[in-house]
């Protein structure tokens, strides 16, 4: 008498009898075993929906292309045409709220560029936010004031007006929307400035930052 191997379904048949399939133990080839499992799957046995004759298991792992982290990314040189194209793209989005912040150590040429930028933004209907320090921020205030749209310029000071320099106080006399933070008068200026900058970023859509480097 030859021993048999029994395949049993995980669930009984509708008539209550067990569904079994008997195979001779002498059948040992992998092809015959695959054929029997595939046949069981077609008869409704629970084999996870996998057909070994049709579903091929990949034997090689695809290598992810993550690039070389040691290779510096080459950037294109900026020119006036590209800058104008980016400004045109900004204008195509409609009026926005722009925060202009930057270094106090700003050359006359850079101050003129910032002033022209703020003037163009306000003239085209955008709202400019900045603070009261000299350099970049003062240039942004002057440029925005030139557009003669005072409702589109807001200056937020890190402390009270009396804490500002005489030059800043004189410039701010022409600004309609000035927000002061007298609750920060007892803090060091750098800490009060961080609070002020966080408030500015929460109020605006875009940030234009001017950094200083030698």
């Amino acid at each position: 008498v030859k021993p048999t191997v029994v395949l049993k379904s995980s669930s009984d048949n509708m008539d209550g009898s067990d569904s079994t399939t008997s195979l001779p133990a002498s059948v040992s080839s992998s092809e015959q075993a695959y054929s029997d499992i595939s046949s069981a799957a077609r008869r409704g046995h629970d084999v996870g929906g996998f057909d070994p004759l049709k579903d091929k298991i990949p034997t090689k792992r695809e290598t992810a292309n993550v690039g070389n982290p040691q290779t510096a990314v080459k950037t294109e040189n900026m020119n006036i045409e590209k800058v104008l194209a980016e400004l045109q793209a900004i204008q195509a989005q409609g009026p926005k709220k722009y925060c202009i912040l930057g270094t106090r150590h700003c050359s006359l040429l850079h101050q003129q560029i910032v002033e022209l930028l703020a003037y163009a933004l306000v003239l085209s209907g955008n709202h400019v936010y900045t603070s009261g320090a000299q350099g970049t921020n003062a240039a942004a205030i002057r440029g925005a004031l030139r557009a003669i749209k005072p409702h589109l310029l807001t200056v937020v000071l890190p402390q009270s007006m009396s804490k500002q320099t005489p030059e800043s106080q004189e410039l701010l006399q022409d600004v309609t929307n000035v927000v002061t933070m007298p609750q920060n008068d007892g803090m060091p200026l750098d800490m009060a400035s961080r609070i002020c900058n966080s408030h500015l970023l929460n109020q605006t859509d875009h940030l234009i930052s001017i950094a200083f480097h030698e």
Side-chain angles (χ1 to χ4, degrees), residues 190-207:
D190 58 343
M191 183 181 298
S193 297
R194 286 196 293 268
I195 297 175
C196 175
N197 293 344
S198 297
H199 176 76
L200 284 167
L201 294 178
N202 289 331
Q203 298 296 318
T204 54
D205 303 312
H206 301 284
L207 169 66

Side-chain angles (χ1 to χ4, degrees), residues 155-204:
V155 178
V156 181
L157 303 178
Q159 296 172 324
S160 61
M161 180 68 73
S162 59
K163 290 285 187 177
Q164 309 307 308
T165 63
E167 295 81 7
S168 296
Q169 294 186 33
E170 182 179 359
L171 179 61
L172 292 174
Q173 290 179 358
D174 298 327
V175 179
T176 302
N177 302 321
V178 178
V179 179
T180 61
M181 295 184 174
Q183 68 273 18
N184 299 336
D185 286 352
M187 298 181 182
L189 180 58
D190 58 343
M191 183 181 298
S193 297
R194 286 196 293 268
I195 297 175
C196 175
N197 293 344
S198 297
H199 176 76
L200 284 167
L201 294 178
N202 289 331
Q203 298 296 318
T204 54

Side-chain angles (χ1 to χ4, degrees), residues 23-43:
L23 297 176
S26 60
V27 178
S28 59
S29 67
S30 60
E31 181 178 356
Q32 181 64 36
Y34 284 165
S35 177
D36 293 338
I37 296 175
S38 178
S39 299
R42 288 193 294 270
R43 291 196 301 270

